[in-house]
Amino acid sequence: MSVELGHFALVLALALALVQSAAPLMGARIGSLPLMRVGEPVAITGFALVAAAFAALVLAYVQSDFSVLNVWENSHSAKPLLFKITGAWGNHEGSMLLWVLILALFGALVAAFGRNLPPTLKANVLAVQGLIASAFLLFILFTSNPFNRLQPAPIEGRDLNPILQDIGLAIHPPLLYLGYVGFSISFSFAVAALIEGRIDAAWARWVRPWTLAAWAFLTGGIAMGSYWAYYELGWGGFWFWDPVENASFLPWLSGTALLHSAIVMEKRSALKIWTVLLAILTFSLSLLGTFLVRSGVLTSVHTFASDPTRGVFILAILVFFIGGALALFAVRAAALAPGGLFHPISREGALVLNNLLLTTAAATVLVGTLYPLLIEALTGEKISVGAPFFNLTFVPLFLPLLVAVPFGPLLAWKRGDLLAAAQRLQIAFAAAALSGIVSYFLMDRASAFAALGLALGLWLIFGALTDLCLKIGIGKVPPSVALGRLAGLPLSMFGTALAHAGLGLTALGVVAVTTLEAESILTMRPGQVAEIGGYSLTFENLRPFTGPNYTEDRAVFAVTGEGGASLGEIVSSKRFYAARGMPTTEAGIRTFGLSQLYVSIGDETASGLVVRIWWKPLVTLIWLGALVMMVGGAVSLFDRRLRVGVPARRKLAVAAAGEGA
Amino acid sequence: MTRKQKRLAIIGTGMGFLALAAGLTFYALGQQTSYFYMPADLLSQHAAAGERIRLGGLVQPGSIKRGEGTRVRFVVADSENEVEVVYQGILPDLFREEQGVVTEGTLGSDGVFVADTVLAKHDETYMPREVAERLKEEGVWQEQ
């Protein structure tokens, strides 16, 4: 019964979304306030209906109602409760429902908390949100309905893909979607501004918190996905430049650019047209990502069951929204008044440089991702573009950006002094360079790249610290005054420093792992010892174990450090999930400080068990850095200055954050 | 600087970056992409020894040979040809006989394919798309 109610709620939500996309738009056009205000209650009710539908689906999963096709295909009565719940979005239909749920949530938040928005802008924003919701609700109801029944109902389900039976599924997709879909708000604001043909600095002030929130969620979502793939797939890699990964990275790159250009627009009312274009492009890339992942047109290691026929529907949605928005942009952009002037060497100039590098880097990733599709369409040849391509294109474009980051916050608006900024960064530069040189000799000159990379990462971190120190006047005023100033510093300045330092931490981790990682593949018999990264691993034994819905063989390794001190054990296993007849590898990971030992096991052969061991120095910094970036975004959101005159916005950020937790 | 000069400076820098990106992209696309081959393709068109390619097909039943330590040998086949593959490391969990597989590496001059990557899939009913299309054309394999 609840399943039918859920289905019905979804149909009602579609009807409301259609109303939401028409009435406020019409109201804004003819200047009718009552018609414009229709959008608010409709958006909130629509969200409640989608939430009810989602709850109905989760309930069906919790109750293991196998008369629902979707539940039968993806669940099993012996599955732990957490995975029954998360299994609701561990499949195509459910994940699309989650997508729409988050879209409706953002729409409802604008409706509920955007009280001080000009009525026409708000009406248009809600209308565009309604239009996006209508398209995706149609998609769900016609091609991907999770509420389809199965007659007669089977007794047992086919179980969820074992790789998805992990806490990662509870965190990664919701975070990622909060980011992806969060950019729909920036998109709606951009399209609304184009419909009105009017845009000003206040527009950027409204858009910035939304973009910031979406960006923070996306950062967390990508990092979480990366860590999940790292420990779950058992290959020890944190990033494969796989199409599905690129699909989430592209909106991140352009979203980061948008975040920075919106600052210029808000403070200096320059770069208006560019900011609007970036807002459109960022959500377009999110849609493209959804299409690539859901249609399976590209071969990916992360693709789960996909259906090309549904891809055509999403492609149509893609063409409609991207094409429509860009066409509107082409017609209306010229009408938007150009903004303020600035010298190329200035804060604005630095942010423009940031935008140029980020967007060109994004363009190379986009080309690398779509090139195989293009070639296949043109010549029929099947090719693949892998990590070497991206190392050769993306990395050279991203490195100058990393070098330039510490300069940006030190340059003044309108006209800056590069030399003065460089002078103020002397200490940071000297410290980073010195650390690089010292580490080069400490590592016995093993890798100049590692030393350079280390210096670069530290340069970002020290640069961020320098910025904070200068702002509170350390060395110029007594420490007590400096401390007082530190407490009085706007939160957004801490946010900037945290985000930039987080980027430095991630860079450090990436450099350390790619240049200093040690790897060993060998066969081991019980009692045999493997040495790696200064640790010794003794293979003790292989013991069987039975879990709730799987059986496994656990290989136990005793770890000893230098000098023979016991450091406990690492357990890696080969699991077998009977319901799907599917084996998985569970990697054994131990963290020492910021570094990790990573062990995965293979088949048993005549000469022993195949074992692959990695020593991954500083690997955790990759994700800790992303976490710091995310915290930086969140801290900025609470900035008083972002709230001046818009007290309601803070609540909304909290509500959004609560939703992601 | 006049307004025009400032604008030119920005456009110039932008164009510079775009040119750099385009240059890098074209160079990398020429160097760093790998072509996909089925065993039958290797009969008609020769991949140069040492060129990085992807080889896809079905794992021939009874062809998986372990026992040289961490080295594994198996045969990737389609209806017309078969290629011996040697791989060092841990095979993906879903690597099985008669299963579609995509391997990446280089063809040795002795005709043995030295793979450094064997692509794993996350789903037991999943068939690599390139392999599935070709096998369907050849009528060897049907969608379930």
Side-chain angles (χ1 to χ4, degrees), chain A residues 69-94:
Chain A
L69 180 66
N70 191 261
V71 179
W72 171 71
E73 281 177 337
N74 299 293
S75 198
H76 192 277
S77 57
K79 207 164 59 166
L81 180 66
L82 174 69
F83 300 148
K84 282 186 185 167
I85 296 171
T86 60
W89 60 82
N91 58 81
H92 170 78
E93 289 82 0

Side-chain angles (χ1 to χ4, degrees), chain A residues 161 233 235 297 299-301 304 342 371 376 382-384 388-389 522 574 581-585 600 603, chain B residues 3 6 17 24-25 27-29 32-36 54 66 69-70 90 93 96 120-122 129-130 133:
Chain A
N161 188 323
L233 293 184
W235 307 349
V297 293
T299 308
S300 155
V301 296
F304 294 85
F342 56 88
Y371 187 68
E376 197 181 337
K382 294 185 169 86
I383 66 157
S384 74
F389 169 85
L522 67 168
K574 273 245 171 272
M582 184 168 158
T584 66
T585 305
S600 66
D603 304 294
Chain B
R3 187 184 189 103
K6 284 172 185 169
F17 283 129
L24 285 171
T25 304
Y27 174 73
L29 283 179
Q32 306 290 358
T33 53
S34 49
Y35 283 85
F36 177 84
R54 283 185 165 205
R66 296 188 169 92
T70 56
I90 294 176
D93 295 318
R96 272 180 229 154
K121 291 298 149 195
H122 294 348
R129 192 177 57 91
E130 294 94 337
E133 281 172 14

Side-chain angles (χ1 to χ4, degrees), chain A residues 149-412:
Chain A
R149 289 279 194 178
L150 192 61
Q151 195 66 259
I155 290 163
E156 192 50 89
R158 295 204 307 191
D159 206 358
L160 179 66
N161 188 323
I163 290 178
L164 295 176
Q165 296 189 27
D166 186 274
I167 183 77
L169 182 63
I171 309 167
H172 168 61
L175 269 185
L176 194 71
Y177 281 1
L178 279 167
Y180 259 28
V181 182
F183 285 127
S184 70
I185 300 289
S186 328
F187 175 86
S188 298
F189 267 95
V191 173
L194 288 171
I195 291 173
E196 287 190 49
R198 200 172 61 82
I199 193 165
D200 50 24
W203 181 89
R205 198 172 310 139
W206 285 309
V207 171
R208 241 180 91 194
W210 295 101
T211 312
L212 196 56
W215 176 87
F217 284 127
L218 189 59
T219 307
I222 294 173
M224 184 62 219
S226 157
Y227 188 62
W228 186 17
Y230 167 79
Y231 72 71
E232 183 70 43
L233 293 184
W235 307 349
F238 60 91
W239 192 260
F240 301 98
W241 288 111
D242 179 272
V244 167
E245 293 169 356
N246 294 346
S248 67
F249 193 42
L250 283 167
W252 187 85
L253 287 171
S254 69
T256 310
L258 172 63
L259 208 56
H260 290 87
S261 79
I263 299 175
V264 179
M265 186 169 161
E266 184 188 335
K267 303 279 188 224
R268 304 276 313 131
S269 79
L271 301 186
K272 284 180 189 166
I273 297 172
W274 173 244
T275 305
V276 167
L277 182 63
L278 268 183
I280 292 172
L281 287 182
T282 302
F283 185 60
S284 300
L285 289 171
S286 298
L287 285 177
L288 181 74
T290 308
F291 166 69
L292 289 180
V293 177
R294 285 289 130 229
S295 66
V297 293
L298 287 167
T299 308
S300 155
V301 296
H302 304 294
T303 305
F304 294 85
S306 53
D307 182 349
T309 53
R310 289 159 172 168
V312 177
F313 201 122
I314 304 188
L315 193 62
I317 295 179
L318 202 74
V319 168
F320 175 75
F321 282 102
I322 301 178
L326 288 179
L328 193 64
F329 179 80
V331 175
R332 287 296 180 90
L336 304 176
L341 278 173
F342 56 88
H343 194 267
I345 304 288
S346 61
R347 181 82 65 87
E348 295 96 320
L351 290 166
V352 168
L353 182 73
N354 150 304
N355 270 236
L356 287 175
L357 284 167
L358 278 171
T359 44
T360 39
T364 60
V365 177
L366 184 68
V367 169
T369 308
L370 296 182
Y371 187 68
L373 280 183
L374 181 75
I375 286 297
E376 197 181 337
L378 291 180
T379 67
E381 271 174 328
K382 294 185 169 86
I383 66 157
S384 74
V385 174
F389 169 85
F390 297 100
N391 291 341
L392 208 59
T393 55
F394 176 79
V395 174
L397 285 166
F398 208 71
L399 284 183
L401 180 64
L402 294 184
V403 173
V405 162
F407 287 97
L410 293 183
L411 291 171

Side-chain angles (χ1 to χ4, degrees), chain A residues 477-533:
Chain A
V477 296
S480 57
V481 178
L483 238 112
R485 285 196 196 166
L486 186 69
L489 218 54
L491 283 174
S492 73
M493 290 187 178
F494 286 106
T496 306
L498 278 171
H500 289 175
L503 187 64
L505 288 175
T506 299
L508 270 183
V510 172
V511 168
V513 170
T514 45
T515 57
L516 302 172
E517 171 183 86
E519 183 190 352
S520 169
I521 308 171
L522 67 168
T523 54
M524 290 176 94
R525 292 183 194 286
Q528 216 167 321
V529 182
E531 307 267 348
I532 196 161

